[in-house]
Amino acid sequence: MADETSWVLENFWQQLQTASQKVLLLDYDGTLAPFQLERNKAFPYPGVREILEKIQASGKTRLIIVSGRAVDDLLPLLGLKHLPELWGSHGFERQLPDGTRLAQEIDVNCLLNLERAFDWMQEHGYEADCEKKPSSIAFHWRGVEKSRRQQLEKTVRHAWSPLTKGVDLQIHSFDGGLELRSVGFDKGEAVRQVLAECSQNVSIAYLGDDLTDEDAFKIIKGKGLSVLVRETYRNTLADCWLRPPDDLVHFLQNWLSFSSK
């Protein structure tokens, strides 16, 4: 896998130098930052923030963070002086570098069922592990023992499943939990929209770690570079694999160098 990754990246760096438009899309948790049981302490790996600042300040790259987190949760963790474009809640929220928010709409029945799901979580004592977002509810079980995790998944799926009937809500698995999410908002759709805004001579890459990033890998396939960023390899649609943090930092440093030529 290492040789294949080197070959793929070498070809990509050559293309990046001559492209008229350069776009870098990055997932946050597990990609730019290590997972933390206390989610409000998931700060970027050492060195990442500084390189992102330089990439954004160069003006040569359209830098985009695509995350399952809400935008308001991302901002204090990123800690960047010059903010890039942010797509939060799997693309439901979009904030431009100047701070402009582009609003999406969600069906009122979906909102009502998301509220019902959150109420159920509160009533059964799961509120502390529940993340309420503008278009979804996420239940986290990272760090929980396997047998207990399996029981939690079974229980929560059973409670949420009736709330998907007749409305545009779906249950999605992610690395460390379950999410009840409005249909039509995922990282693949965010990448699709970004691609539609790009010129033909674009070099574009997407880096992610989670099962939710596979939607993005699928859409960017054949149009740009997809990179799995993860300590251990798993089956993926991504073109290559990097281990964080060292391989990740090296990739970002190369991006800064080659995109500035």
Side-chain angles (χ1 to χ4, degrees), residues 213-231:
D213 295 302
E214 292 296 324
D215 294 323
F217 296 158
K218 181 179 180 180
I219 297 302
I220 206 171
K221 200 74 172 177
K223 302 178 181 70
L225 175 71
S226 54
V227 183
L228 178 68
V229 180
R230 188 180 171 90
E231 181 60 34

Side-chain angles (χ1 to χ4, degrees), residues 27-36 41-46 48 69 77-78 209 229 244 248:
D27 170 53
Y28 187 76
D29 289 280
T31 302
L32 295 180
F35 289 112
Q36 300 288 350
K41 295 183 179 179
F43 298 107
Y45 288 110
V48 166
R69 286 183 185 261
L77 294 174
L78 279 170
D209 73 294
V229 180
L248 168 69

Side-chain angles (χ1 to χ4, degrees), residues 121-217:
M121 301 299 281
Q122 286 182 307
E123 291 168 5
H124 290 78
Y126 299 131
E127 182 180 3
D129 300 309
C130 195
E131 181 185 3
K132 193 175 183 182
K133 309 179 191 180
S135 60
S136 67
I137 298 290
F139 177 53
H140 298 269
W141 56 54
R142 191 173 304 282
V144 175
E145 191 270 330
K146 184 177 180 180
S147 61
R148 173 60 176 160
R149 185 172 70 239
Q150 291 173 335
Q151 183 58 48
L152 285 171
E153 179 175 3
K154 181 179 179 181
T155 300
V156 174
R157 276 189 182 275
H158 181 75
W160 282 358
S161 289
L163 300 175
T164 66
K165 307 301 182 184
V167 296
D168 287 334
L169 290 175
Q170 291 178 343
I171 300 173
H172 296 268
S173 298
F174 63 90
D175 189 0
L178 280 181
E179 187 164 21
L180 181 63
R181 190 195 314 159
S182 180
V183 172
F185 301 104
D186 59 51
K187 294 175 181 178
E189 184 57 33
V191 171
R192 192 194 307 275
Q193 292 184 50
V194 171
L195 282 168
E197 299 167 0
C198 292
S199 66
Q200 288 188 336
N201 186 24
V202 61
S203 276
I204 183 169
Y206 183 100
L207 278 65
D209 73 294
D210 204 344
L211 295 174
T212 60
D213 295 302
E214 292 296 324
D215 294 323
F217 296 158

Side-chain angles (χ1 to χ4, degrees), residues 30-64:
T31 302
L32 295 180
F35 289 112
Q36 300 288 350
L37 293 180
E38 295 182 65
R39 299 186 71 255
N40 62 345
K41 295 183 179 179
F43 298 107
Y45 288 110
V48 166
R49 184 178 287 145
E50 291 77 9
I51 303 175
L52 293 182
E53 286 280 15
K54 291 178 181 178
I55 292 173
Q56 181 67 5
S58 74
K60 300 290 184 67
T61 295
R62 181 181 174 188
L63 182 60
I64 306 172

Side-chain angles (χ1 to χ4, degrees), residues 97-118:
D98 65 2
T100 301
R101 294 277 181 104
L102 304 180
Q104 303 268 14
E105 292 187 1
I106 183 171
D107 180 77
V108 64
N109 291 316
C110 290
L111 285 175
L112 288 173
N113 278 11
L114 287 172
E115 285 295 333
R116 292 185 180 107
F118 187 70

Side-chain angles (χ1 to χ4, degrees), residues 20-23 54-62 255-256 259-261:
S20 60
Q21 187 179 17
K22 304 167 178 69
V23 181
K54 291 178 181 178
I55 292 173
Q56 181 67 5
S58 74
K60 300 290 184 67
T61 295
R62 181 181 174 188
W255 184 286
L256 177 62
S259 64
S260 301
K261 293 183 178 180

